[in-house]
């Protein structure tokens, strides 16, 4: 017991040793570091974060310097890369995957003078902020269009992993679709991957074969779009990036991860010395979630009502989760007029009433 | 739960398509292994084929030329493996793993400026008359041409291995390279050709993903398909006929579990996804000793 | 016509000179590649190969070499016994995963108890997990003559599926907001594999790797088992006459490599990684195969090869953030380094001679 405590305090001393370091690089430039979980060429999640990085360079020109390391596994490698960036004088470091959470907390504690920003996590510190996007707001707009457009009344949904983020998106789009089309039915398949184009194509095909004429996806590749196009008469929505190459049909709209405004804001805050920690969850109104151009394949009145929904969500007038909403088992979740609180949404582990099937566990 | 939603005809039809990339890669690896060489770099050759095919197809506008480019790209990369293992006598396992690392890096660099571009269309063909046969028509005769090219290659390999003298030589080289050498066969030349054929087929399989299945270029898009191809070769116990069965089984498990999920059946996906590999081990045990080519993975050096 | 003659004994000179030659060749060809990518080749090469050791922040990078290299060395040493004896366990990646799962499961099951026995128990569980996973191909080979290369490879895929199932299911952190992944063992004092001396990167996995190297060195040089291993690889028939039981040899070699790979997984999951996650495994099991060959299946060589691989990973990361080099270029360079090392190895075992073309 004693020995172990000794070891633990040794580790603490190491942390202190690092803390006592002077600011190492005395550059006038503000340095911003990014740690990416995938390659910037993935065309999806990491690609969009990298677009945000490029936007910082565009905005501030020579007064900033950005650096990034791609395809960093979520483990000791992440700790190493973050520490390396901090040592090199990074003023602000964005860690862009949920799996970096504990590593970011660890490194942030060793570098109190460096600001850290962790995407999609829930642990913060005085120099560690978290940020995430309310993608479910965009899902509601998709659900609205999907509910109007479907003629088979079957909407297919490709889930990645059964985690709150994805379940929230399913519920949000279902409620919006149901609101405009009471007969709508959701078919959900879990791909158990974020990115495997062949499997995503397969999933889309299966859903189409089982009658779906609208495909919503929570995986990042364009394979489902191509599958839909091959079958004809099926519409899809871009995910993460606009996927405009499949517009106007099958891709009729999209949810775009638009990190650029946030990244620019936070970089500016560091430059001004006004940076403070926070836990933000920004939606359409803040510009973090962008709804891609609704194409002409959608009838004008549906397009108009979808845009109205988008604007109303952006203005904070409409909340996609507004009562009355029951859980799948029929129990009351939200009473008439009640809006979901963020805590429940963040840990969402149930379907709303009307969705069939079980969440795999 | 609504099992009636699953249309068995469509299920079988989509299975043929799903199995094509892994079938293509696997038939190449089968020939390589029958020649006594174990190339674990299939994934690297597939992804290199995927990017080469994509580059050529978008540059020329012709998917067919794309596939040709993919085959060439895969074969060129495999040449590297061939020279190292056959002439410089390096260990095949280590070289194959290095080839995968190399191929993943190379493809990503080559494909940097090809993101977000669509490949030229490669329409399905509706085989006249045959495609109109009820039930069988949609399953078998309404796919894109590469599905049939893949099956054609498998048939060709079967014929080559079992009906030609060169095929006999190749098998002899794989079973016992020392004896084959003593009989005056060119062990190294045979193996080099087999390795390049394997690379070309893996390239075709990769290009099937980037030109037909997805069809787009993204880094790492093969997502492990090359490793599945290796498993299928073993499952097939190195026989081309069984290879088709194996590819359909491996592809089929994915298609089936997705179908069941969509129909509302709770499927233990992770446990189901390991089943083909367990089946492969079972096949290995049942087939028992001696079925693998005798010289598989061993270094050949002609001592005089 | 170039002819290779097998040397009666590996060349001593070339066994030292070949790796140096390979690294130099990699630097040259890599330099051309980096120049083609529009980077200053000298700067890139210096960053990858020298900065981790001699730059301003080398005090931070050097310990990282231990963290990155330890699992590679530990696994590779285990594999080298089998490889010497002609037993091909290429499924260390799977054994690594199962070891981590078993070890972590023990720790998580006992959470939040605090006693000093938890961590040792986890090590045993980890080694056992890896051992049992390796015994599957081992026993199948002994009983049915199945090819251990293929069975051990198949079991990697099975292990990966199991890992995902565990991270999403039984081992999921109940306080993790529904995200896949276990509790962080590094934050659970009795189960954590922390740095033993602060700032050195030295954790129990590094200690185990060093012990394994010494142990392997002694066994191969001095012990009868080491002799049998070498004999079984070089002259299987002679080994049989010398009383080496092939079945026993297979089971010991498979078991040993599996147990070490399992331990490597446990040390990783309890320390540097901390959590069981869906993509917990990052390919150490496969990279270790390469490391074993680069080290010429010799314990000291493996130690150096593990260090070299770790160097390219760490230097590669530095080159990415400092110079904006794409990750793909690093993996290309690593592939190239391996090719050159494998290629020049021919000089160690064979004499190259120019001869008149002979009729085959």
């Amino acid at each position: 017991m004693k020995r172990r405590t000794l070891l633990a305090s040794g580790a603490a001393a190491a942390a202190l040793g690092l803390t006592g370091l002077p600011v190492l690089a005395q550059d006038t430039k503000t340095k911003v570091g990014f740690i990416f979980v995938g390659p910037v060429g993935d065309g999806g999640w990491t690609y969009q974060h990298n677009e945000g990085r490029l936007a910082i360079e565009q905005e501030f020109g020579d007064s900033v310097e950005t650096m990034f390391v791609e395809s960093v596994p979520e483990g000791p490698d992440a700790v190493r890369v973050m520490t390396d960036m901090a040592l090199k004088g990074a003023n602000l470091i964005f860690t862009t995957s949920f799996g970096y959470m504990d590593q970011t907390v660890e490194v942030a504690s060793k570098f109190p003078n460096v600001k850290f920003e962790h995407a999609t996590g829930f642990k913060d510190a005085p120099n560690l902020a978290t940020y995430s996007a309310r993608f479910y707001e965009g899902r509601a707009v998709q659900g609205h269009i999907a509910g109007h457009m479907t003629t088979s009344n079957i909407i297919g949904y490709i889930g990645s992993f059964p985690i709150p983020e994805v379940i929230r998106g399913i519920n949000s789009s279902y409620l919006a679709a149901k609101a405009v089309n009471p007969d709508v039915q959701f078919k959900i398949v879990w791909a158990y991957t974020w990115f495997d184009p062949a499997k995503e194509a397969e999933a889309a095909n299966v859903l189409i074969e089982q009658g779906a004429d609208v495909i919503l996806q929570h995986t990042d590749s364009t394979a489902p779009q191509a599958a839909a196009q091959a079958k004809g008469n099926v519409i899809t929505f871009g995910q993460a990036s606009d996927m405009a190459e499949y517009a106007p049909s099958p891709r009729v709209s999209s949810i775009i991860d638009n990190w650029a405004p946030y990244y620019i804001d936070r970089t500016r805050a560091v430059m001004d010395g006004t940076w403070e920690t926070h836990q933000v969850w920004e939606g359409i109104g803040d510009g973090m979630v962008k709804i891609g151009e609704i194409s002409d394949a959608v009838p004008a009145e549906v397009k108009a009502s979808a845009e109205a929904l988008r604007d109303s969500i952006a203005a904070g007038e409409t909340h996609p989760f507004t009562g009355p909403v029951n859980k799948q088992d029929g129990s009351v979740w939200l009473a008439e007029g009640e809006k979901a609180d963020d805590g429940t949404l963040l840990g969402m582990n149930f379907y709303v009433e009307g969705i069939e099937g079980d969440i795999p566990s | 739960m609504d099992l009636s939603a699953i249309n068995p005809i469509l299920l079988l039809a989509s299975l043929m398509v799903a199995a094509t990339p892994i079938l293509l890669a696997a038939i190449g690896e089968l020939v390589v292994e029958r020649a006594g060489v174990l190339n674990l770099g299939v994934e690297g050759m597939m992804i290199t084929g995927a990017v080469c095919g994509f580059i050529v197809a978008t540059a020329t506008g012709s998917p067919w030329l794309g596939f040709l480019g993919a085959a060439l790209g895969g074969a060129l990369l495999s040449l590297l493996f061939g020279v190292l293992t056959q002439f410089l006598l390096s260990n095949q396992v280590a070289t194959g793993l290095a080839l995968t690392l190399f191929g993943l890096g190379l493809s990503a660099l080559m494909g940097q400026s090809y993101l977000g571009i669509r490949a030229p269309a490669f329409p399905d063909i509706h085989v006249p008359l045959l495609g109109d046969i009820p039930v069988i028509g949609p399953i078998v005769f309404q796919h894109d041409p590469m599905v049939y090219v893949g099956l054609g290659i498998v048939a060709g390999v079967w014929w080559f291995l079992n009906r030609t003298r060169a095929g006999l030589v190749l098998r002899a080289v794989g079973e016992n390279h020392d004896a084959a050498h003593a009989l005056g066969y060119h062990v190294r030349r045979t193996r080099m050709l087999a390795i390049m054929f394997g690379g070309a087929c893996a390239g075709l399989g990769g290009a099937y993903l980037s030109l037909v299945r997805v069809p787009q270029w993204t880094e790492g898009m093969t997502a492990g398909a090359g490793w599945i191809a290796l498993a299928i070769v073993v499952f097939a116990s190195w026989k081309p006929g069984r290879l088709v069965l194996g590819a359909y089984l491996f592809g089929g498990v994915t298609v089936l579990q997705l179908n069941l999920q969509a129909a509302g059946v709770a499927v233990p996906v992770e446990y189901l996804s390991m089943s083909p590999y367990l089946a492969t081990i079972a096949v290995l045990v049942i087939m028992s000793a001696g079925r693998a080519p005798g010289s598989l993975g061993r270094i050949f050096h002609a001592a005089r | 016509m170039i002819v290779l003659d097998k040397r009666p004994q590996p060349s001593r000179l070339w066994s030292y000179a070949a790796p140096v030659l390979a690294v130099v060749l990699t630097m040259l060809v890599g330099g051309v590649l980096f120049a083609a990518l529009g980077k200053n080749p000298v700067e890139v090469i210096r960053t990858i190969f020298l900065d981790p050791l001699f730059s301003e922040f080398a005090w931070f990078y050097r310990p990282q070499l231990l963290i990155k290299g330890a699992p590679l060395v530990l696994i590779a040493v285990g594999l080298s016994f089998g490889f010497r004896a002609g037993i091909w366990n290429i499924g260390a990646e799977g054994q690594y995963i199962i070891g981590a799962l078993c070890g972590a499961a023990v720790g998580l099951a006992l959470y939040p108890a605090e006693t000093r026995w938890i961590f040792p128990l986890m090590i045993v569980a980890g080694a056992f997990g890896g051992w049992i996973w390796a015994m599957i191909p081992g026993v199948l080979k002994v009983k049915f003559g199945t090819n251990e290369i293929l069975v051990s490879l198949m079991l990697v895929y099975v292990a990966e599926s199991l890992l995902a199932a565990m991270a999403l299911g039984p081992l999921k952190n109940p306080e993790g907001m529904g995200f896949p992944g276990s509790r962080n063992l590094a934050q659970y004092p009795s189960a954590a594999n922390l740095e033993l001396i602060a700032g050195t990167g030295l954790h129990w996995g590094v200690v185990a790797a060093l012990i394994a190297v010494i142990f392997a060195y002694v066994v191969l040089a001095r012990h009868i088992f080491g002799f049998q291993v070498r004999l079984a690889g070089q002259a299987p028939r002679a080994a049989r006459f010398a009383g080496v039981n092939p079945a026993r040899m297979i089971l010991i070699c498979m078991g040993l490599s599996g147990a070490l790979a399992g331990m490597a997984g446990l040390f990783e999951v309890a320390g540097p990684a901390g959590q069981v996650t869906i993509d917990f495994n990052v390919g150490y099991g496969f990279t270790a195969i390469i490391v074993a060959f680069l080290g010429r299946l010799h314990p000291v060589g493996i130690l150096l090869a593990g260090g070299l691989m770790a160097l390219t990973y760490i230097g590669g990361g530095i080159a990415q953030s400092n110079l904006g080099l794409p990750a793909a270029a690093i993996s290309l360079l690593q592939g190239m380094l391996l090719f050159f090392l494998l290629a020049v190895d021919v000089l160690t075992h064979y004499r190259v001679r120019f001869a008149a073309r002979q009729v085959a």
Side-chain angles (χ1 to χ4, degrees):
Chain A
M1 205 49 201
K2 232 178 199 165
R3 185 170 163 71
R4 201 147 267 287
T5 335
L6 187 77
L7 299 179
S9 60
L16 282 175
L18 282 171
T19 315
L21 284 170
V23 180
L24 283 159
Q26 295 291 356
D27 257 323
T28 48
K29 279 187 179 183
T30 302
K31 288 191 179 179
V32 187
F34 286 84
I35 296 181
F36 297 138
V37 72
V40 296
D42 71 355
W45 178 256
T46 295
Y47 179 80
Q48 288 300 125
H49 281 288
N50 192 47
E51 291 291 295
R53 179 184 71 85
L54 295 172
I56 293 178
E57 290 195 334
Q58 183 89 35
E59 177 79 16
F60 299 106
D62 283 344
S63 50
V64 298
E65 186 186 325
T66 67
M67 47 184 160
F68 72 96
V69 179
E70 54 186 333
S71 301
V72 181
E74 297 164 340
D77 299 281
V79 174
R80 187 186 72 240
V81 173
M82 280 176 222
T83 311
D84 184 30
M85 285 179 175
L87 287 173
K88 280 178 197 148
N91 306 89
L92 175 64
I93 297 175
F94 291 96
T95 62
T96 62
S97 172
F98 174 79
Y100 295 145
M101 183 161 69
D102 286 357
Q103 288 89 349
T104 311
V105 172
E106 182 190 333
V107 179
S109 73
K110 291 178 185 168
F111 293 93
N113 295 325
V114 180
K115 315 297 182 207
F116 290 82
E117 299 252 1
H118 177 229
T120 73
F122 52 81
K123 292 183 184 169
D124 63 353
N127 64 329
L128 164 58
T130 65
Y131 62 102
S132 186
R134 295 179 188 268
F135 294 117
Y136 69 87
E137 294 185 352
R139 295 281 165 199
V141 179
Q142 290 188 347
H144 179 88
I145 299 171
H148 275 298
M149 298 288 287
T150 180
T151 50
S152 66
N153 290 331
I154 298 174
I155 293 171
Y157 205 110
I158 305 171
S160 44
F161 290 98
I163 59 173
E165 157 77 23
V166 181
I167 294 166
R168 212 156 50 225
I170 294 173
N171 284 332
S172 174
S173 50
Y174 177 77
L175 290 174
K178 182 101 174 165
V180 296
N181 180 353
D183 298 324
V184 82
Q185 191 202 339
F186 266 40
K187 277 186 187 285
I188 300 157
V189 296
W190 298 98
Y192 283 90
T193 177
W194 289 108
F195 178 79
D196 180 345
K199 201 170 194 179
E200 292 170 46
E202 225 48 72
N205 271 334
V206 162
L207 290 166
I208 295 166
E209 282 162 11
Q210 295 203 16
D213 59 356
V214 180
I215 300 289
L216 302 182
Q217 66 180 92
H218 207 130
T219 49
D220 283 359
S221 90
T222 50
Q225 321 275 331
Q229 187 164 50
K231 299 274 177 175
N233 294 324
V234 177
I235 62 166
T236 59
F237 295 85
Q239 154 75 9
S241 63
D242 196 26
M243 303 188 177
E245 61 271 29
Y246 284 93
S249 190
R251 172 228 166 268
V252 296
S253 181
S254 61
I255 296 181
I256 305 169
D257 305 359
N258 184 28
W259 308 104
Y262 182 77
Y263 286 168
I264 289 170
D265 268 8
R266 300 300 277 173
T267 305
R268 183 170 288 125
V270 166
M271 293 168 121
D272 299 347
T274 56
W275 190 97
E276 277 183 4
T277 185
H278 61 203
Q279 293 203 325
V280 295
W281 200 14
E282 298 188 344
I284 298 176
D286 313 283
M288 196 179 273
V289 178
K290 215 162 113 185
I291 305 298
E293 174 72 22
I294 300 172
S295 77
D296 295 337
V298 178
E301 67 272 18
V302 176
K303 181 176 175 174
S305 64
E307 284 173 345
L309 177 64
R310 175 194 69 193
D311 296 341
S312 149
I313 292 175
E317 290 154 12
T318 303
H319 191 294
F321 292 106
T322 305
V325 179
N326 290 348
K327 293 187 182 179
Q328 190 184 35
D329 58 11
S331 63
V332 177
W333 173 36
L334 299 170
E336 177 79 42
E338 190 188 350
K339 288 175 176 151
D341 62 289
D342 283 356
T344 313
L345 289 181
L346 282 170
M348 192 169 243
N349 58 359
F350 57 85
Y351 285 146
V352 295
E353 193 172 42
I355 298 180
E356 284 166 23
D358 299 315
I359 299 171
S361 59
Chain B
M1 194 190 301
D2 181 17
L3 286 179
S4 63
I6 302 176
N7 181 335
I9 293 172
L10 292 177
L11 193 151
L12 288 171
S14 60
L15 206 144
M16 281 184 75
V17 176
T20 297
I22 44 181
L23 180 66
L24 279 165
I27 190 65
E29 179 68 12
L30 181 138
V31 172
V32 178
E33 291 190 16
R34 281 303 278 272
V37 179
L38 181 66
N39 184 355
L40 294 182
V42 183
E43 179 82 0
M45 300 187 297
M46 261 186 110
I47 191 115
T48 305
V51 77
C52 290
F54 193 82
I55 291 172
V56 174
T58 46
T60 61
S62 157
W64 287 109
L65 286 177
F67 278 109
L68 192 67
L72 276 174
L76 271 178
L77 193 67
S78 72
L79 200 59
L80 209 55
F81 174 87
V83 169
L84 278 165
T85 57
Q86 301 310 306
F87 291 95
L88 299 176
L89 309 174
S90 68
N91 176 275
Q92 293 173 8
V93 170
T95 312
L97 292 171
L99 191 71
T100 290
L101 202 60
F102 188 82
L104 287 170
L106 181 70
S107 62
L109 281 184
M110 288 174 72
Q112 266 177 343
S113 50
Y114 289 87
L115 294 166
I117 302 174
R118 283 176 67 171
F122 194 56
D124 287 355
I125 49 169
H126 186 113
V127 181
L129 296 177
L130 291 174
D132 298 323
I133 303 171
V135 186
I136 296 179
I139 299 177
V140 184
F141 298 110
Q142 295 182 13
H143 295 296
D144 61 87
M146 279 311 285
V147 170
Y148 308 111
V149 172
L151 291 170
I153 293 177
V154 174
V157 166
W158 177 87
W159 175 80
F160 169 80
L161 286 176
N162 295 308
R163 292 284 182 274
T164 67
R165 205 185 119 72
L168 186 73
V169 172
L170 182 131
R171 283 188 289 141
V173 164
E175 282 305 329
N176 187 337
H177 48 214
D178 293 323
H181 177 70
L183 288 171
Y185 299 138
H186 299 281
V187 175
R188 264 198 291 207
R189 187 188 302 167
T190 310
R191 286 189 171 165
M192 284 303 286
L193 290 172
I195 289 167
M196 287 174 68
F197 177 76
C201 286
L204 289 178
Y208 190 77
L209 289 171
S210 67
L211 293 177
V212 183
R213 205 73 194 99
V214 174
Q216 200 155 42
W217 165 252
T218 36
E219 263 181 57
M221 65 181 302
T222 45
W227 295 99
I228 296 177
L230 279 166
I232 293 172
V233 177
V234 183
F235 177 85
S237 35
W238 298 272
K239 291 194 179 354
R242 290 193 198 145
L243 195 74
V244 180
L245 190 72
Y248 285 8
L249 174 78
F250 277 72
V253 167
T254 309
V255 174
L256 183 69
Q257 64 97 344
L258 289 167
N259 258 294
L260 288 172
Q261 278 197 53
V265 183
V267 201
V269 175
E270 300 299 346
Y271 295 99
L272 201 62
S273 67
M274 62 178 89
S275 58
Y277 300 104
L278 293 173
T280 304
I281 294 175
V283 167
L284 268 175
V285 172
I286 294 164
M287 293 300 153
S288 207
R291 297 310 307 163
S295 294
L296 187 62
R298 281 171 44 210
I299 291 176
F300 169 70
H301 177 243
R304 287 169 304 131
Chain C
M1 173 96 177
I2 298 167
V3 177
L4 299 178
D5 292 327
K6 196 165 175 73
R7 296 178 192 271
Q9 261 169 358
S11 155
R12 216 153 227 286
L13 170 70
W14 274 111
S15 71
Y16 293 109
V20 178
L21 177 65
V23 172
V24 170
L25 284 171
T26 309
M27 288 179 176
L28 288 177
V29 181
V32 174
L33 168 78
F34 297 131
L37 289 170
K39 309 282 176 194
N40 175 350
V42 178
E43 197 181 6
V44 176
I45 297 289
R46 196 205 65 217
T47 307
I48 295 175
F49 290 97
L50 296 181
D51 274 12
L53 294 172
F54 304 113
S55 66
E56 187 185 357
F57 305 122
W59 56 268
F60 166 70
Y61 300 135
R62 285 186 205 132
Q64 298 295 318
L65 285 171
L66 296 184
I67 293 176
K68 195 81 191 166
L72 292 174
V73 172
L74 188 56
I75 301 171
V77 165
L79 293 175
S80 67
F81 278 93
F83 290 176
R84 271 173 183 262
I87 297 155
W88 302 98
N89 174 12
I90 64 166
E93 185 80 358
Q95 292 138 25
Y96 172 87
I97 291 172
I98 300 297
L101 281 179
C102 289
V106 167
L108 293 167
L110 296 171
Y111 181 87
E114 296 282 356
T115 101
R116 67 163 82 184
W117 295 108
I118 294 179
F119 188 61
L121 200 61
M122 285 164 66
I123 297 179
V124 173
F128 177 77
W131 177 79
I132 206 95
W133 209 247
M135 283 323 267
I136 301 172
V139 168
L140 289 180
K141 183 175 175 74
V142 170
K143 291 268 172 216
F144 304 101
T146 31
N147 184 324
E148 77 280 12
I149 300 184
L150 305 166
V151 177
S152 61
L153 181 64
M154 295 303 119
L155 285 171
V156 174
Y157 309 128
V158 178
E160 281 177 343
S161 289
L162 257 182
L163 174 70
M166 290 297 139
L168 288 160
L171 297 185
K172 190 159 83 175
N173 182 359
E175 288 151 29
M177 307 282 285
F179 280 91
S182 73
R183 279 182 203 282
N184 197 321
L185 289 164
Q187 294 162 8
Y188 170 22
S190 284
N193 170 29
L194 299 171
E195 271 186 315
L196 297 172
I197 303 166
T200 58
L202 190 76
H203 62 72
W204 284 111
V206 181
V207 176
L210 293 174
I211 293 175
V213 167
I214 297 167
F215 168 81
Y217 185 85
V218 172
V219 166
L220 285 173
R222 304 249 181 276
H223 196 271
I224 177 77
F225 175 69
F227 170 74
Q228 290 180 341
V229 164
R230 281 183 287 146
L231 195 61
Q234 283 160 5
R237 283 169 59 86
R240 211 163 288 209
F241 288 124
V244 178
N245 177 345
R248 197 167 142 260
M249 181 63 75
I250 291 166
L251 293 179
I252 292 177
C253 286
M254 290 300 286
L256 184 70
S257 54
L260 289 186
M263 270 166 71
L266 176 274
F267 289 128
E268 189 72 4
V269 78
Q275 286 167 293
V276 175
T277 53
I278 294 174
D279 349 278
F280 160 74
N281 59 316
V282 292
Y284 281 133
F286 287 119
T287 312
I289 295 174
I290 300 173
V291 167
F293 279 103
L294 296 189
R296 296 187 167 61
L297 307 181
H298 187 280
V300 178
I302 288 171
L303 192 66
L304 295 173
L308 182 65
M309 278 310 281
L311 191 71
T312 60
Y313 279 114
I314 291 166
I318 303 172
Q320 278 192 63
S321 59
N322 279 8
L323 309 171
L325 205 68
I330 309 295
S331 100
L332 199 64
L333 185 82
Q334 283 175 329
M336 220 148 52
L337 175 64
L338 302 175
F339 285 148
F340 280 124
L341 277 160
L342 292 164
V344 296
D345 207 20
V346 74
L347 299 170
T348 312
H349 295 287
Y350 298 88
R351 197 171 277 125
V352 182
R353 185 163 61 78
F354 295 91
R357 195 181 173 92
Q358 55 188 355
V359 185

